Amino acid sequence: MENNFLNSEFTELITNDDFVRMVKDAQDTDKLLNDLVMQCPQNSNDLKYAVEFIRIAREDKQKMQTADSERILKNIQNNPVGKDGRTILFRRLANSKVAAIALLVLAIGALVMFSKQDSLKQFAHKNEVSQNDAMIVLSDGSKHILNENELDINYNSKEGEVVVQKEESVVATIKNEPKNKREFNEVIVPYGQRQHVVLNDGTSVELNAGSKLVFPAVFSGNNRTVYLIGEGYFDVTKDSNRPFIVKTDFIDVKVYGTEFNVTAYKDEELASAVLVEGSVSVKQSDKILKKQALFIKPGEACFYSTVNEELEIKDIDVDLYISWKDGIYNFKDVPLSYVITRVKKYYNVEITVENADLLETKLSGKLLITGDIEEVIQYISRAVECRYEKPKEGNYFLSKY
Amino acid sequence: MEEKADLYLWENLLNGDNNALSDIYKRYVDDLYSYGLKISGNESLVKDCIQEVFIRLMANRKNLVAGSNIHVYLFKSLRSRLLDEMRSGNRRSEILNTKTRFEEEENSPSVEAVTIQNEEQSHIKKKLQTALEGLTEKQREIIFLKFTEGLNYDEISTILGIDKASARTLLYRTLKLIKANIKMKGLILFLFMRYFKK
């Protein structure tokens, strides 16, 4: 072997294509290094560094997790823009250069949105959240009861079908071929349950207890609008041409591709949007022309108080608001009354507290909500130092010692 | 070999073959991911941008030229997308608290019975890693392109948007800096000292 470059110093070695190829092609680089040092012992130091450098560089690759990699590929293949290259260019022009036309379109768009939104809202309030069963209501009005908790409901696996899975295995396949694709579907999650929905664009929504999500089986047109009652954690598939809008009774949240949590329970004083990543804007519902949208950044939350009807942005600890999706309620300095409203919803039980001052007791900490309700009640009563009774199944009574 | 396969895939993509898209994706996703992390270190931003790059690739494919270098095209697109996003500031707070790979890869403590050679080797590795950690983002980027990805100066200069001479100079300076930081001469003395301590 003619390797007259072996006497070169470190930087020359690693920029020598022959040397790099030799290290790259070697089955056993340790053995190769030994051979090289034998051939050229006076340069052993530089050789060792050079071989090690090439080795480090070649190993410096990160592998994306398979699940992520597959999800992204699916998003790419399902992206409607891909089918027609013109969409992007056309919109970009409308946005930046022809402002007057854009404004006009916007105004008309707002009107259309008003009427559409009303129908969405009406629809959302037609079927109230049931106390007992989780269900999917298809656009033809047919109801499909879900017998299990924590299912994956997938609108994105095959067109015209809804696939229901429990931990990867298929529980049910429901035909869903509406005449009009824009008609709404809904998933209703009763108190005491949690369900996971994958929408037709790949967006994932974790729905908390006592929630309802209304959405079209297939998103069409230039935005993706859903209606939420209750609480949901959204991981939105990025699509810079079609914003994703979560409408609720109180606030509307608009995003392009991001992770965030929206809370809008009818019986709670505060509705909130908490941003995990990306950027979203929030505005009050039904006030499109009056109020400006507020933008929130990761680590911030936008609260809407149903009492004084105001929006407010605050820095928050994101984890406190999203940990429910991992089976933990994370509380920080909140009164017992709040903890109880949450636990009641989550376990679908009745909890009564005898003493009013007990309700004001401030609590902080993590509550594991994957276990038994009995444990949770025990944990709470220990924390606030009270005793509890269970007059009957699903009924708890807390009182001072 | 590789380039021929790439050209073939590119051809198929331009002709509207959707399998070509997924082949190209699978072939380059990890490379793009590794490269993206060199630029921003923010995993979810990098993933979002990779998705965006491919969506735009599909949207614009009618305007693409046959025979382009996919590797370079994808890397260049990802880079400019990432820099745009980072500049827009939305993600800045996230970028701050992410780590680079070199920091994560602490050497595991060596076992009792190491041979001198292994000890020397792990010492060399550690020195090189420390030297690499000391580099700026831009310097790490060119090291990655040149040595991890094995690209040539033409390709690197296209991706970075600089001319070939500047790419050469940047790499040359970076290597000089690495060499200065590893101070190879000290090695033997160091090994002896450790040996006597035991």
Side-chain angles (χ1 to χ4, degrees), chain A residues 134 148-151 189 193-197 205-207:
Chain A
E148 275 179 286
N149 193 4
E150 294 179 23
L151 295 168
V189 184
Q193 285 197 24
R194 254 169 47 188
Q195 303 287 358
H196 175 241
V197 187
V205 191
E206 190 78 53
L207 288 171

Side-chain angles (χ1 to χ4, degrees), chain A residues 9 57 60 62 68-69, chain B residues 25 34 47 56 101 148 179:
Chain A
E9 54 84 44
D60 189 28
Q62 303 270 59
D68 286 336
S69 156
Chain B
Y25 176 84
S34 310
K47 286 177 201 159
R56 301 224 165 223
R101 181 179 159 85
T148 310
K179 199 186 168 184

Side-chain angles (χ1 to χ4, degrees), chain A residues 120-189:
Chain A
L120 190 61
K121 187 172 178 178
Q122 274 169 21
F123 190 90
H125 285 276
K126 206 164 62 187
N127 297 308
E128 287 306 317
V129 174
S130 141
Q131 287 290 321
N132 306 312
D133 294 314
M135 63 173 88
I136 306 175
V137 184
L138 300 180
S139 29
D140 60 6
S142 63
K143 292 177 180 167
H144 295 262
I145 306 278
L146 302 168
N147 295 320
E148 275 179 286
N149 193 4
E150 294 179 23
L151 295 168
D152 295 310
I153 301 158
N154 198 338
Y155 274 76
N156 190 31
S157 59
K158 207 173 153 197
E159 209 172 316
E161 257 179 30
V162 185
V163 178
V164 183
Q165 286 180 303
K166 175 90 185 174
E167 283 158 10
E168 312 275 289
S169 61
V170 176
V171 180
T173 312
I174 306 165
K175 276 260 172 291
N176 188 29
E177 287 167 333
K179 285 184 202 104
N180 180 355
K181 279 180 185 161
R182 296 181 78 162
E183 280 174 30
F184 303 124
N185 283 233
E186 57 187 320
V187 170
I188 300 175
V189 184

Side-chain angles (χ1 to χ4, degrees), chain B residues 174-189:
Chain B
T174 307
L175 292 180
K176 237 174 114 179
L177 190 66
I178 293 175
K179 199 186 168 184
N181 285 343
I182 51 185
K183 294 184 211 89
M184 292 182 213
K185 297 263 160 58
L187 172 68
I188 295 166
L189 182 68

Side-chain angles (χ1 to χ4, degrees), chain B residues 83-100:
Chain B
L83 294 181
D84 278 356
E85 288 280 334
M86 285 158 74
R87 237 174 261 133
S88 77
N90 285 341
R91 313 263 189 157
R92 202 161 292 148
S93 59
E94 287 174 62
I95 292 162
L96 290 176
N97 52 32
T98 45
K99 289 198 275 176
T100 60

Side-chain angles (χ1 to χ4, degrees), chain A residues 45-164:
Chain A
N45 230 328
D46 284 62
L47 284 169
K48 284 171 190 168
Y49 272 95
V51 169
E52 193 57 46
F53 179 85
I54 301 293
R55 202 148 48 180
I56 291 176
R58 295 197 59 81
E59 284 165 7
D60 189 28
K61 278 198 195 178
Q62 303 270 59
K63 214 176 146 4
M64 197 191 287
Q65 283 176 330
T66 321
D68 286 336
S69 156
E70 279 167 5
R71 174 175 54 84
I72 294 174
L73 178 59
K74 218 168 166 195
N75 290 342
I76 297 164
Q77 287 169 330
N78 290 347
N79 196 292
V81 177
K83 287 168 197 148
D84 176 16
R86 283 180 202 169
T87 341
I88 291 178
L89 289 170
F90 175 70
R91 287 231 180 82
R92 210 188 264 158
L93 203 68
N95 284 342
S96 59
K97 295 205 175 139
V98 200
I101 295 178
L103 204 71
L104 186 70
V105 172
L106 203 79
I108 295 166
L111 286 177
V112 176
M113 241 162 77
F114 262 135
S115 55
K116 207 177 137 194
Q117 172 199 340
D118 281 348
S119 68
L120 190 61
K121 187 172 178 178
Q122 274 169 21
F123 190 90
H125 285 276
K126 206 164 62 187
N127 297 308
E128 287 306 317
V129 174
S130 141
Q131 287 290 321
N132 306 312
D133 294 314
M135 63 173 88
I136 306 175
V137 184
L138 300 180
S139 29
D140 60 6
S142 63
K143 292 177 180 167
H144 295 262
I145 306 278
L146 302 168
N147 295 320
E148 275 179 286
N149 193 4
E150 294 179 23
L151 295 168
D152 295 310
I153 301 158
N154 198 338
Y155 274 76
N156 190 31
S157 59
K158 207 173 153 197
E159 209 172 316
E161 257 179 30
V162 185
V163 178
V164 183

Side-chain angles (χ1 to χ4, degrees), chain A residues 225-245:
Chain A
T225 307
V226 303
Y227 204 97
L228 173 76
I229 296 173
E231 179 162 51
Y233 182 92
F234 292 80
D235 183 351
V236 175
T237 301
K238 198 162 183 174
D239 182 345
S240 40
N241 289 311
R242 293 190 304 167
F244 192 96
I245 301 169

